[in-house]
Amino acid sequence: MALAATRATPGDSEFDRDTAVKARPGEPGTYDLDLSPGWVIVSAVNGGFLLAAVGRALRAELAQDDPITITGHYLTASLPGPAVIRVQTVRTGRSLSTGQASLYQFDADGNEVERLRVLAGYGDLTALPDDVRTSATPPEMPGYDACVPGNDPPAGGPIIGSTALLDRLDLRLDPATAGWAVGAPSGVGDMRGWLGLADGRDHDPLSVLLAVDALPPTAFDLGLSGWTPTLELTVHQRCHPAPGPLRVAVTTRNLAGGLMEEDAQVWDTKDRLVAQSRQLARAPRVPSRPRPDA
Amino acid sequence: MALAATRATPGDSEFDRDTAVKARPGEPGTYDLDLSPGWVIVSAVNGGFLLAAVGRALRAELAQDDPITITGHYLTASLPGPAVIRVQTVRTGRSLSTGQASLYQFDADGNEVERLRVLAGYGDLTALPDDVRTSATPPEMPGYDACVPGNDPPAGGPIIGSTALLDRLDLRLDPATAGWAVGAPSGVGDMRGWLGLADGRDHDPLSVLLAVDALPPTAFDLGLSGWTPTLELTVHQRCHPAPGPLRVAVTTRNLAGGLMEEDAQVWDTKDRLVAQSRQLARAPRVPSRPRPDA
């Protein structure tokens, strides 16, 4: 997908409209929203997108705006449709405030079913001291134009189900980690790419929560197919990202016991490590292979 | 500290006695405990120890025994003395059950003050499939006998306050990451060591929660002194550790905005990566220097 001709802006974009939460009158801390089908991957709404929606509700309640450390435990798969988020302020601090939130949907009888429970510490990223002693280095990968558009995966590839999410992203994969799309995964367990939003909206600390979970799963690079459901995802942020696409580098080093971690580093166009995340996911158990008809 | 002549066992050890929680009659999900001064470091009870105590209360409530993914958000510093843990079952699943818990202590008026809030997914580590595709390798470090006892840090060093915790550990540091003790930190941000418990008790999934937070902070290796309070700590476990001391390797790659991550890998004597953890901590701001009188 090419970049949109007219760039959307934070506050007026697909991402902002679809993560918008509406305070329920008379019920403090309660927010309604509608989960758009546009953020589905395989068979469920993307976990990073859900964390961003809950993150927006937490921002509305807490004394500070930025999720500095946020953890989500994913209980059941989220589907497009109505949802409600309930937020509790745990502790209000001068530099860090802690909140808890749950996202619920509804069963056939209208009963609430919890999808996701979140704990988070919010602060003001712009108020942090500017000391930096980072020995990590930006991911070695080609420039945006030399990377592979990741929005049109081939039929017969390892994505088994919906790819709606990909239409909302401006994703360019490092060719070294895109071999899975042509039946030739590297076997290393890496995934790297440039990540913008399709409508050109620049990133902010809420969309970074999406960014850490938006690349194809590293399982594809290990030669595995299918869904990699997130059990738990924690994101740490250190600064507001500069304008432009982010470089996201995800690695898996320990697939064991049917589980795998995905560690993501998020770098901005000023070569700053703006966020680190780790998730624990169920490893898919289906070896991928090129289909005869692919 | 030498290993104890008579080895303690899981269930009958300092660690087990001090993390013991007592169900409060008539109040489901409520557990009392007394935080021993033996697990204090600098000025507060060690965060990994607290997570283990809460982990024991969660084990008592949930359908499964092992913390596979557990996250603690640290709200206020815990001190020796009475505490109460309240546990809520969030979701009971066949292979993974989710729980939430809070640890409280009491102010001068007897009001509860929340210290720590935890979300966790419990399962049965022994029931996980035995597929392993781990590309991580055990830390390169000398054997136990060639490492440096870490229990007797020098006066004038970067630990400013109590070192009681160290008497409960059998800690041997890799000499390459122990330079801080003699005023010569490497500047890299690494800490590695062999870690047992002083009374010889072998590790289990509860004591692993202590192990990930028990080494000296990587800040010392960066040449910084003082306390590194944990804001958030997440631990993922993949199997029960084999008997014998664990190798724990901790790295910090991103000190920025007054915050630092500490990533720990925990390897057992069978060369299995039994656990991974990451914490976000406040970086100490005091450069360490050898004191003239040290």
Side-chain angles (χ1 to χ4, degrees), chain B residues 12-95:
Chain B
D12 183 17
S13 73
E14 287 179 327
F15 174 81
D16 296 288
R17 283 187 290 275
D18 289 347
T19 55
V21 295
K22 189 177 173 188
R24 194 183 282 184
E27 291 189 42
T30 304
Y31 297 84
D32 289 292
L33 76 160
D34 201 78
L35 295 177
S36 156
W39 304 89
V40 168
I41 186 73
V42 181
S43 59
V45 180
N46 172 266
F49 175 82
L50 294 170
L51 196 62
V54 173
R56 195 179 288 285
L58 280 158
R59 172 186 280 182
E61 286 288 319
L62 295 175
Q64 291 93 0
D65 276 352
D66 297 326
I68 288 182
T69 169
I70 182 166
T71 295
H73 282 248
Y74 294 80
L75 306 170
T76 52
S78 293
L79 304 174
V84 59
I85 298 170
R86 294 209 167 77
V87 181
Q88 175 199 8
T89 298
V90 175
R91 179 176 178 271
T92 299
R94 192 177 47 80
S95 64

Side-chain angles (χ1 to χ4, degrees), chain A residues 131, chain B residues 219 222 224-225 227-229 255-260 281-286:
Chain A
D131 53 326
Chain B
L222 290 169
L224 300 168
S225 281
W227 197 30
T228 311
L255 189 159
L259 302 168
M260 53 192 294
R282 285 198 198 280
R285 311 210 60 185
V286 186

Side-chain angles (χ1 to χ4, degrees), chain A residues 68-76 88-91 95-96 98 100 114 117-121 125 128-136 187-188 221-224 231-232 234 236-238 252-261 263-265 273-280 282-283 285, chain B residues 68-76 88-91 95-96 98 100 114 117-121 125 128-136 187-188 221-224 231-232 234 236-238 252-261 263-265 273-280 282-283 285:
Chain A
I68 289 182
T69 169
I70 183 166
T71 295
H73 283 248
Y74 294 79
L75 306 169
T76 52
Q88 176 200 6
T89 299
V90 175
R91 178 176 177 272
S95 65
L96 196 75
T98 304
Q100 174 176 324
E114 190 169 354
R117 189 169 291 206
V118 174
L119 276 179
L125 286 169
L128 295 182
D130 57 4
D131 53 326
V132 174
R133 290 179 58 171
T134 299
S135 58
V188 174
D221 191 50
L222 289 170
L224 300 168
L231 300 175
E232 181 266 328
T234 295
H236 296 166
Q237 299 196 61
R238 301 296 178 85
T252 293
R253 292 293 172 263
N254 190 29
L255 189 160
L259 303 168
M260 54 193 292
E261 96 284 8
D263 280 358
Q265 291 188 359
L273 179 49
V274 300
Q276 293 164 292
S277 75
R278 176 175 287 164
Q279 68 171 268
L280 187 70
R282 286 198 197 279
R285 310 209 60 186
Chain B
I68 288 182
T69 169
I70 182 166
T71 295
H73 282 248
Y74 294 80
L75 306 170
T76 52
Q88 175 199 8
T89 298
V90 175
R91 179 176 178 271
S95 64
L96 196 74
T98 303
Q100 175 176 325
E114 189 168 355
R117 188 170 291 206
V118 174
L119 276 179
L125 286 169
L128 295 181
D130 56 4
D131 54 325
V132 175
R133 290 179 60 171
T134 300
S135 58
V188 174
D221 191 50
L222 290 169
L224 300 168
L231 299 175
E232 182 267 328
T234 295
H236 297 166
Q237 300 195 60
R238 302 295 179 85
T252 293
R253 292 293 172 263
N254 190 28
L255 189 159
L259 302 168
M260 53 192 294
E261 96 284 10
D263 279 0
Q265 291 188 359
L273 179 49
V274 300
Q276 293 164 292
S277 74
R278 176 175 288 165
Q279 68 172 269
L280 186 70
R282 285 198 198 280
R285 311 210 60 185

Side-chain angles (χ1 to χ4, degrees), chain B residues 104-116:
Chain B
Y104 304 87
Q105 291 193 295
F106 309 94
D107 68 13
D109 299 323
N111 301 310
E112 288 186 356
V113 180
E114 189 168 355
R115 301 297 194 206
L116 170 61

Side-chain angles (χ1 to χ4, degrees), chain B residues 1-4 141-149 151 169-175 193-197 244-247:
Chain B
M1 167 161 301
L3 280 174
M141 52 185 279
Y144 176 90
D145 290 325
C147 284
V148 180
N151 306 72
L169 307 177
D170 175 42
L171 172 62
R172 298 281 176 127
L173 291 177
D174 182 343
W194 293 88
L195 185 71
L197 293 164
L246 296 168
R247 279 161 295 173

Side-chain angles (χ1 to χ4, degrees), chain A residues 133-149:
Chain A
R133 290 179 58 171
T134 299
S135 58
T137 52
E140 292 187 20
M141 53 186 279
Y144 176 90
D145 290 325
C147 284
V148 181

